[in-house]
Amino acid sequence: MDRITIRGGNRLNGRLPISGAKNAALTLLPCSLLSAEPLTLTNLPRLADVDSFGHLLNELGVSTTVRRGKGDVIGREMRMSAKAIASTVAPYDIVRKMRASILVLGPLLARAGEATVSLPGGCAIGNRPIDLHLKALEALGAEIELAAGYVKATAPSGGLRGGRISFPVVSVGATENALMAAVLAQGETVMENAAREPEIVDLARCLVAMGAEIEGIGSDRLVIQGKTSLHGAEYEVMPDRIEAGSYACAAAITGGDVLLAGARGEDMEAILSGLRGAGVHVTEETGGIRVKANGGLEPLTLSTAPFPAFPTDMQAQFMAMLALANGTSVLTETIFENRYMHVPELTRMGAEIQVHGRTAVVKGVDGLIGADVMATDLRASMSLVLAGLAAEGETRVHRVYHLDRGYERLEEKLSAVGADIERESDG
């Protein structure tokens, strides 16, 4: 098993390219199931989760062709063709590796009339039930059965039909699954209290490129006119706002000056606002966002919430950064109940953090010390890398397969802007 070794203290400086968004890519890939014509995604990040999803699509009968990006593009291009659905069963062995696999449920049900999908796995950051996914599909006429760790969904005779879906709480995954099912349902579907994340906007735009009719994109009310079929398309995956935010924190925690090439400010306003509140200089430039830290970091009070508020996927990275702030910060996690597993590892490096329920109190310290630390989930892993970049001495982050799920060429990108970082084998 690999580990990442970091010798801290280097100021990051230079241009760092932002990859296609992991969370958007995993939402766009199942769109290939909705059409008999090919869907081609460009700017697709090279990540373990993307590869796993590709294998799942192959199991379902989708042929995939992968090409390297052109020029200095880091990502890839994938052409997916689902002329016929060979299987409507998403098996446990693949689905257990990542929660996003549940997103084949809606497309399979809409196109093939049935779907059997294993209950998903993924990061151990708390309870993330799929009941809202199932209720949304039931509103479109699906019959749902849970048995032996699988969800079995069946469409009524004649296929799914439009309906009204009102989510009691905002759910990104349920919005995505319902949207992909609704575009092939008969008649009109109205979705209320839909999630508004940029990745959902990206999904809706891709579906429109395939011939779907969707009103209200970017709002919490979506109106979908179902089609009998969709056609093929070519679509570019949006830049990863969480990767961009993570590397912004890397620039800030090291007192660096980094251009996040390709990052889009409109996708990450809450993140940029938080950075500015911490005293970091952030400017949007042609081709990206520049992040520059000249002085000390200021403490913050932040609470995670659905978009457009501060994202839960940036909580751990901000905590690492604020461990070196000039004062006490207060972070409240409202999305997941078990997303402070990085706290004990950060405290091993000298951070002063107290957790009280869903709130973490971070007292800024003068410096961090390198140590052996263990990654517990994707974003927690990145928080440990950030701490290592600023720490005195050597930090070894173990179980970095979590990082490989969400950060493309992390060591290469950080090395290019001055970090002393390398991947080694634990064996």
Side-chain angles (χ1 to χ4, degrees):
M1 192 175 295
D2 290 353
R3 67 173 180 264
I4 286 178
T5 299
I6 307 163
R7 285 162 284 276
N10 291 2
R11 180 177 180 268
L12 302 189
N13 184 73
R15 178 183 181 275
L16 195 154
I18 299 303
S19 298
K22 165 188 177 280
N23 289 341
L26 297 179
T27 302
L28 297 173
L29 287 166
C31 291
S32 61
L33 295 165
L34 292 168
S35 175
E37 298 180 12
L39 170 65
T40 299
L41 296 179
T42 61
N43 196 36
L44 195 67
R46 292 196 280 183
L47 300 170
D49 273 10
V50 171
D51 291 340
S52 294
F53 213 118
H55 295 152
L56 174 57
L57 292 176
N58 294 154
E59 287 278 331
L60 302 176
V62 182
S63 65
T64 55
T65 304
V66 180
R67 300 172 183 168
R68 293 189 61 179
K70 299 176 183 178
D72 63 352
V73 175
I74 291 179
R76 298 175 293 176
E77 173 182 302
M78 181 183 289
R79 182 180 187 272
M80 297 163 285
S81 179
K83 291 183 179 180
I85 303 297
S87 171
T88 58
V89 178
Y92 168 77
D93 285 347
I94 297 179
V95 176
R96 69 180 175 84
K97 297 177 183 178
M98 57 175 179
R99 289 194 57 84
S101 303
I102 195 66
L103 294 178
V104 302
L105 182 61
L108 281 176
L109 183 61
R111 181 157 171 219
E114 63 179 19
T116 302
V117 181
S118 172
L119 292 171
C123 284
I125 58 173
N127 186 30
R128 296 194 277 181
I130 61 167
D131 58 311
L132 295 180
H133 298 238
L134 305 184
K135 290 177 181 177
L137 295 175
E138 285 177 331
L140 301 180
E143 294 184 2
I144 307 291
E145 178 185 353
L146 299 178
Y150 280 79
V151 177
K152 183 174 177 58
T154 306
S157 177
L160 296 176
R161 54 183 181 268
R164 182 169 293 274
I165 301 169
S166 181
F167 294 106
V169 295
V170 175
S171 170
V172 172
T175 299
E176 293 166 340
N177 238 332
L179 181 57
M180 285 186 282
V183 294
L184 290 183
Q186 299 176 44
E188 182 179 89
T189 298
V190 178
M191 296 171 56
E192 304 276 4
N193 200 29
R196 300 160 52 194
E197 269 69 6
E199 293 79 10
I200 289 178
V201 172
D202 216 37
L203 169 62
R205 288 174 177 167
C206 179
L207 291 171
V208 168
M210 297 175 69
E213 186 176 338
I214 305 170
E215 297 178 8
I217 296 174
S219 75
D220 62 359
R221 185 178 189 271
L222 299 175
V223 180
I224 304 102
Q225 305 297 334
K227 302 291 184 179
T228 56
S229 65
L230 298 183
H231 54 70
E234 179 174 318
Y235 190 79
E236 181 178 347
V237 180
M238 65 175 282
D240 196 319
R241 63 193 176 104
I242 303 301
E243 183 195 36
S246 299
Y247 289 131
C249 288
I253 200 171
T254 64
D257 182 353
V258 174
L259 175 66
L260 305 172
R264 296 194 317 214
E266 65 265 28
D267 296 334
M268 47 190 298
E269 290 181 358
I271 298 171
L272 300 184
S273 176
L275 289 165
R276 292 185 178 111
V280 180
H281 188 60
V282 179
T283 55
E284 296 185 44
E285 301 182 1
T286 301
I289 298 172
R290 181 170 298 280
V291 179
K292 186 175 183 180
N294 290 324
L297 296 167
E298 297 301 317
L300 296 173
T301 297
L302 290 173
S303 179
T304 64
F307 188 86
F310 188 81
T312 180
D313 278 353
M314 282 302 304
Q315 175 257 111
Q317 298 92 307
F318 263 66
M319 181 180 290
M321 180 184 73
L322 294 171
L324 293 176
N326 299 317
T328 299
S329 300
V330 179
L331 305 180
T332 302
E333 175 59 58
T334 70
I335 307 297
F336 298 120
E337 72 279 3
N338 194 25
R339 207 162 197 182
Y340 287 138
M341 290 187 290
H342 47 284
V343 170
E345 303 305 298
L346 289 173
T347 58
R348 284 172 52 80
M349 300 178 69
E352 292 190 20
I353 306 168
Q354 296 291 327
V355 175
H356 307 281
R358 288 180 176 262
T359 298
V361 179
V362 186
K363 183 179 179 181
V365 295
D366 292 334
L368 299 173
I369 304 296
D372 280 274
V373 290
M374 192 74 68
T376 55
D377 63 70
L378 172 56
R379 306 308 174 185
S381 304
M382 190 62 186
S383 76
L384 302 179
V385 170
L386 295 176
L389 291 172
E392 178 183 343
E394 188 172 89
T395 297
R396 289 179 293 272
V397 182
H398 299 268
R399 291 171 59 181
V400 297
Y401 60 85
H402 289 293
L403 281 168
D404 295 335
R405 294 182 51 235
Y407 291 93
E408 181 177 16
R409 294 186 179 182
L410 177 135
E411 310 97 88
E412 178 182 323
K413 289 185 179 185
L414 286 174
S415 294
V417 292
D420 187 347
I421 181 172
E422 62 183 331
R423 181 178 292 248
E424 300 173 334
S425 174
D426 271 334

